[in-house]
Structures are given as structure tokens and as C-alpha cells.
Amino acid sequence: MCPSKTPDGEQRGWIIPIGGAEDRESRRRILKRFVQLSGGRDADIVIIPTASRKADTGSRYEELFQRLEAGRATVVDFVDREDGARDDYLRRLETATGVFFTGGNQLRITTILGGTPAARLIRTRNAHGVHVAGTSAGASVLSEHMIAFGKEGSSPRAGSVRLAPGLGLTNRFIIDQHFRQRDRLGRLVAALAYNPYAIGIGLDEDTAAFIGPDNTLEVEGSGAVTVVDASELQFSSMADVSQSQAVCLLGLRVHLLVAGATYNLHTRIASPGSLVTEKT
Amino acid sequence: MCPSKTPDGEQRGWIIPIGGAEDRESRRRILKRFVQLSGGRDADIVIIPTASRKADTGSRYEELFQRLEAGRATVVDFVDREDGARDDYLRRLETATGVFFTGGNQLRITTILGGTPAARLIRTRNAHGVHVAGTSAGASVLSEHMIAFGKEGSSPRAGSVRLAPGLGLTNRFIIDQHFRQRDRLGRLVAALAYNPYAIGIGLDEDTAAFIGPDNTLEVEGSGAVTVVDASELQFSSMADVSQSQAVCLLGLRVHLLVAGATYNLHTRIASPGSLVTEKT
């Protein structure tokens, strides 16, 4: 389940995790940008409401995208594992320019879609330039290592987070959403402490990380994206503590990015981006 | 209200902010260490319950310290500003080996004691070797710049925190308490964003920072101390945003320290301390 290879001469599509509760009524900056990226009036968006148990989740996004003048936006609802191999669903994904995962429970997405032809196709299509966005639970599943569940509001404890394989569009980062609203820094940091290779991305509500083909992340929305870089970690007690004990982690690098700011997932360099340009 | 100068040949007393809700029943590691530092059977502890509005706060700590076999532990309750100049109270502070501020509201301490002879005396005595501890609100007041109040659970916003002058035993750090339990990272970071000179110290409940005469901080208790070092900050949008906007801060250094780990407030170097020694 490694990310699919992008063929020479092509560009990977954008990967767009959203922190949940994105603005759907007024400026709708995040959804609007997703529609524009996907082609605007030529966009062909597949909405996957599999994470949600509510019957109208998909149709509500259909309306939202139509009001934003997306060319086409229709629901493809995978409700059991057999759906992951349905020809009509796979054909729909073949022609899409954008894929959107709604919120709900991320384990519903991975248990239903994990390992199916549909999951493989989404990875391949992303490698060929199709943009894939997800909000809340739909954001968590985008990466290779997914936070399945975890405790909120405490310092990182060895047992405070559980990882599961996600859809694997990328393995560069681990995502958590509703970040400051639900106080999830502890569990994100605990996830990184297992293996500091990945970069932690904590998304506030109504805030998205637009991750381009060059792995530069740009922030959109009203809140902040918290980037936790554990690559310079001097010390971690993770391997030596019991489940309920607080973990000692020395040398984390943290950036709080708002709309306009960028972070390069390759070089691990943060930049104020257009925040500085706007000032001058 | 700068910290008092420590005379040549003398050592400043320890400064001991505690995150609140310290264990008072079982191992009582924090209170025990404070009693021992203050002289154990020779300790003479002054308890200042001024932050609290509960009548029995002081007497409960008297009992606690007596059960821990402190030589002497009595309440000095400053209830109005005139008390800050009372001879009997000042004499009590003159002979104390340790001073302990209870929890409550930090603005009660600063409005009643700020600028009084008692506040000056506590600073001088600390410079001469008397140890000063405080829990919860009592921890917040120890430093020069005190978080008076602020919003919880959000990313740092320009208006999410209000500072007030504290008792000023030190100006090296800004303290916040009940840290992870009340999700106060955002407001601590906002406080640092005003001026990255200070080091942010976020204390979990039942967790204390024992800050020695050499400005090395040692952690005691069951939780973590979050140290936020903004000295390498690359960018802050604090000066350019409106009160409710999220602040962009790039390049924070964060350490999560547990019991045994240390942090030097001069060199800004974190160390696992006895965590490594214990392993071998």
C-alpha cells in the first residue's frame, strides 16, 4: 500500500486534508478552491460518503458543489466491500477529476474500501493527476498511517493513540483533524513518537492543507495548521514507558501556519508565503 | 519589579511552580520534595492562601505539610492590601524557609499583594535562598509576566491571552498550569508571540517544575512539563492580525519533559536527565 508512482511527465494530483466543519455557507474558501482545482465548470467530482452513517451526507455535498458551479458532482456510496469492485463505480472514478471523502468514522472507510480495486484506483488516479480531498475522517484516511482513535486532551501517553493503515496516498505525514477544537496535540505527538519519520499535520476546523504535486503544503481557511516535525528529536522515552505514562520527547519543531503560509514536506521548511507579500 | 539580586556567596532559593491538583493522598512526590528542600523537620513554611476564597484552603495545607513532617507550617492570609505591610506577617516571612501559594485566582494575589512590602520581601527572601512554591494560580504569579486569563482550546489568536505583572521572582519564563487538562497551549504560545524572549512553561496537573538556583528546571510528578522555546522563531504575524485571527508562528521548539528530565533556562538545552541513567 505504498503511494502509487507518478509516471514521468505527469504530476500527482493535489492531496487536500480538511480539518472538518469547513465553511459551507459564506465564503466557502476551501470547497471553492477544491472545485476550481478540479476544473471548475469542467470538474467531475466523485463524492464518497462512506465514512458517514447519515443518509443525506452525500446529497448535501452534491448540492454544495453544484452551488459552487462544479461541472458535475455525484455521490458514489460504497456501503460494503463488494461495492469496492463494482464496475459502474470504478468507471465513475476513472473519469473523475476530483474525489471528495466526507466526514464520519475513518474506520468505516478503511474497513469497507481497504484493499479493494476502488482504493487502488483512487491511489493510481491521484498519481495521474486527480485531486483527492477529505474532511474530518475523510482527511485522516488519506495517508499511509492513519490515527484510528485516541485520547484527547492529555499529554502524550504511550497508549494514547492507535494507528491503522489508511488509504496511503502518501506516507509523508500523519493527519489529525478537529485539531485545536478537540485538543489532539498529545495524540498526534504520540503517533510521531512511534517513528519520527512522518510529519504530523494537525488541522483546525474550517482549515485545509492543500498539498501540491511538489509536496508543498499551502494553508487555506480560517484556522491554523499545526505542523509537528520530529526529525530532530533528541530523545524519546516511548519505548520504555507503560501505556498510561506520560512520554518524554525532547526537540520537537512546531509551526503554526495560517492561510497563505506554506510548508515543504521534503525540505521541512516553513514559510510565511503570501503573508509577507500581502504586508508589503 | 525585577527579580531581586542574589548577593555574592549566596544562592537563590528554588522556584517551584506546580500545575495544580497535586497528589495530596498517596505518594505526594511534589509536596514531599518541597518540604525536604525547605528543611524537612527544620522547615518553616508559610502558606499563603490569598488566591482562594475557600475558608479552609490554608488549614488543609497546614495539615498536609504536618503529615509530611515539616517542622512548622502555618497560614499567613493576606486578605487586603493593608495586610501586605503588617509587621507580624512580615516577621513570619523573615524567618520562613519556604513559602507556598495555594490555588484560586491569580489576580487576587496580585491585586492584594502587588507592590506591598510583603511582595518585595518574598522576592528578597527568595534571592537569599528561601524556596517559593505555588500551585495553579499560585504558580502563575511567580514570574514577572503572568497569564491573567485567556481562552482555552483554540489555536493562538492575537487576543486569546491577557498578561499582567506577576510577583516577579524571575522574568525568564511565563507559566501556565492545568496545562493539558484545560488545553492551554494556544494561549501560552500567544503569550510568547508578543515577545519571544521568555520561555513558556506549561504544567500538567500533579506536575511541578523545580527550578534550582542555577536555573535548571527538573520535573517532578505524574504528568509532563511542556517547554516552548520561541527564541528561534522565524516568523510571527502577531503584530499584523486582528484580535480574533489565528496567529502564524514558524519555528517553535517544543520539549515534553517528564519526571527526571531537565531543562536549562539559560542555555535552553533539554536533557532526559535521570531517565537515561535509570535505563542503564
Side-chain angles (χ1 to χ4, degrees):
Chain A
M1 220 177 30
C2 287
S4 288
K5 266 218 143 149
T6 300
D8 287 344
E10 293 193 44
Q11 276 202 326
R12 198 198 66 206
W14 290 64
I15 301 173
I16 307 144
I18 307 165
E22 67 281 0
D23 172 14
R24 293 159 208 176
E25 302 301 328
S26 58
R27 297 184 63 191
R28 299 167 294 179
R29 296 198 293 189
I30 295 166
L31 297 178
K32 207 175 270 176
R33 184 160 171 189
F34 172 64
V35 168
Q36 279 158 3
L37 259 183
S38 301
R41 289 181 182 277
D42 295 321
D44 182 355
I45 295 170
V46 165
I47 300 153
I48 302 178
T50 302
S52 174
R53 288 190 170 275
K54 292 188 195 149
D56 66 341
T57 301
S59 56
R60 290 180 59 191
Y61 274 102
E62 278 184 354
E63 278 170 47
L64 279 168
F65 288 132
Q66 278 155 18
R67 273 194 275 139
L68 290 169
E69 301 183 338
R72 183 185 182 200
T74 58
V75 169
V76 175
D77 192 7
F78 299 90
V79 295
D80 56 36
R81 289 189 59 80
E82 282 166 21
D83 286 343
R86 266 179 67 161
D87 275 347
D88 52 340
Y89 285 7
L90 296 177
R91 275 197 304 274
R92 195 67 198 80
L93 287 171
E94 281 285 1
T95 60
T97 60
V99 174
F100 188 91
F101 286 94
T102 74
N105 176 355
Q106 52 265 51
L107 283 175
R108 275 185 55 82
I109 304 180
T110 55
T111 53
I112 290 172
L113 281 181
T116 66
R120 280 195 295 277
L121 186 54
I122 292 167
R123 275 198 298 280
T124 318
R125 297 300 300 150
N126 181 241
H128 282 267
V130 171
H131 313 301
V132 181
T135 187
S136 190
S140 289
V141 296
L142 299 179
S143 62
E144 173 83 27
H145 301 283
M146 168 183 97
I147 295 184
F149 29 71
K151 292 206 188 83
E152 288 160 8
S154 70
S155 298
R157 310 257 158 180
S160 69
V161 66
R162 274 163 216 261
L163 295 177
L167 289 184
L169 299 186
T170 169
N171 54 13
R172 298 212 154 258
F173 50 77
I174 295 178
I175 288 163
D176 215 348
Q177 16 79 13
H178 300 283
F179 191 65
R180 300 299 304 160
Q181 289 78 9
R182 298 191 188 165
D183 188 17
R184 291 173 162 176
L185 180 68
R187 76 181 204 178
L188 180 60
V189 168
L192 298 179
Y194 292 139
N195 183 339
Y197 164 78
I199 292 164
I201 298 181
L203 299 158
D204 285 2
E205 291 181 354
D206 189 34
T207 309
F210 279 76
I211 300 162
D214 64 347
N215 277 314
T216 296
L217 172 167
E218 295 170 31
V219 179
E220 186 62 273
S222 64
V225 171
T226 304
V227 172
V228 184
D229 175 4
S231 63
E232 298 164 44
L233 204 68
Q234 306 156 226
F235 176 79
S236 163
S237 66
M238 182 55 106
D240 304 302
V241 294
S242 67
Q243 291 256 322
S244 61
Q245 268 185 298
V247 180
C248 186
L249 290 168
L250 308 182
L252 294 168
R253 174 74 63 180
V254 174
H255 310 283
L256 297 156
L257 285 78
V258 302
T262 67
Y263 184 77
N264 186 306
L265 295 163
H266 267 305
T267 61
R268 299 181 183 242
I269 290 174
S271 156
S274 62
L275 288 175
V276 166
T277 330
E278 278 164 19
K279 274 192 339 193
T280 53
Chain B
M1 220 180 28
C2 288
S4 288
K5 266 220 143 145
T6 300
D8 288 343
E10 292 193 45
Q11 278 202 326
R12 196 197 69 204
W14 289 64
I15 301 174
I16 307 145
I18 307 165
E22 69 280 0
D23 172 14
R24 293 159 207 176
E25 301 302 328
S26 57
R27 297 183 65 189
R28 300 168 293 182
R29 294 197 294 186
I30 295 167
L31 297 177
K32 207 175 269 177
R33 184 160 170 187
F34 172 65
V35 168
Q36 280 159 3
L37 260 183
S38 300
R41 289 181 182 277
D42 296 320
D44 183 354
I45 295 170
V46 165
I47 300 153
I48 301 178
T50 300
S52 174
R53 288 190 171 276
K54 293 188 194 149
D56 65 343
T57 301
S59 57
R60 288 179 60 191
Y61 274 101
E62 280 185 353
E63 278 172 46
L64 279 169
F65 289 132
Q66 278 155 18
R67 275 194 275 139
L68 291 169
E69 301 184 335
R72 185 185 180 198
T74 58
V75 170
V76 174
D77 193 6
F78 300 90
V79 295
D80 56 36
R81 289 189 60 80
E82 284 165 20
D83 286 344
R86 267 178 67 163
D87 275 346
D88 51 341
Y89 285 6
L90 297 176
R91 275 198 303 275
R92 194 66 197 80
L93 287 171
E94 282 286 1
T95 60
T97 60
V99 174
F100 187 92
F101 286 95
T102 74
N105 176 354
Q106 52 264 48
L107 284 174
R108 276 185 56 81
I109 303 179
T110 55
T111 53
I112 290 171
L113 282 181
T116 66
R120 281 195 294 280
L121 186 54
I122 292 167
R123 274 198 299 280
T124 320
R125 297 300 298 149
N126 181 240
H128 283 269
V130 171
H131 313 301
V132 181
T135 187
S136 190
S140 289
V141 296
L142 298 178
S143 62
E144 174 83 26
H145 302 283
M146 168 182 97
I147 294 182
F149 29 69
K151 291 205 188 83
E152 289 161 7
S154 69
S155 299
R157 310 257 158 180
S160 68
V161 67
R162 275 162 215 262
L163 295 177
L167 289 183
L169 299 185
T170 170
N171 54 13
R172 297 211 156 259
F173 50 77
I174 294 178
I175 287 163
D176 215 347
Q177 16 79 14
H178 298 283
F179 191 65
R180 298 300 303 164
Q181 289 77 10
R182 297 190 189 167
D183 189 18
R184 290 172 162 177
L185 179 67
R187 74 182 209 181
L188 180 60
V189 168
L192 298 180
Y194 293 138
N195 184 340
Y197 164 78
I199 292 164
I201 298 181
L203 299 157
D204 285 1
E205 292 182 353
D206 189 35
T207 310
F210 279 76
I211 301 162
D214 63 348
N215 277 314
T216 296
L217 173 166
E218 295 171 27
V219 179
E220 186 64 271
S222 63
V225 171
T226 304
V227 171
V228 184
D229 175 3
S231 63
E232 297 164 43
L233 205 67
Q234 305 157 227
F235 176 80
S236 163
S237 66
M238 182 55 109
D240 304 302
V241 294
S242 68
Q243 291 255 324
S244 61
Q245 269 185 298
V247 181
C248 187
L249 290 167
L250 308 183
L252 295 167
R253 176 73 64 180
V254 174
H255 309 283
L256 298 156
L257 286 76
V258 302
T262 67
Y263 184 78
N264 187 306
L265 294 162
H266 268 304
T267 61
R268 299 181 184 239
I269 291 173
S271 155
S274 62
L275 289 176
V276 166
T277 329
E278 277 164 19
K279 273 191 341 194
T280 54

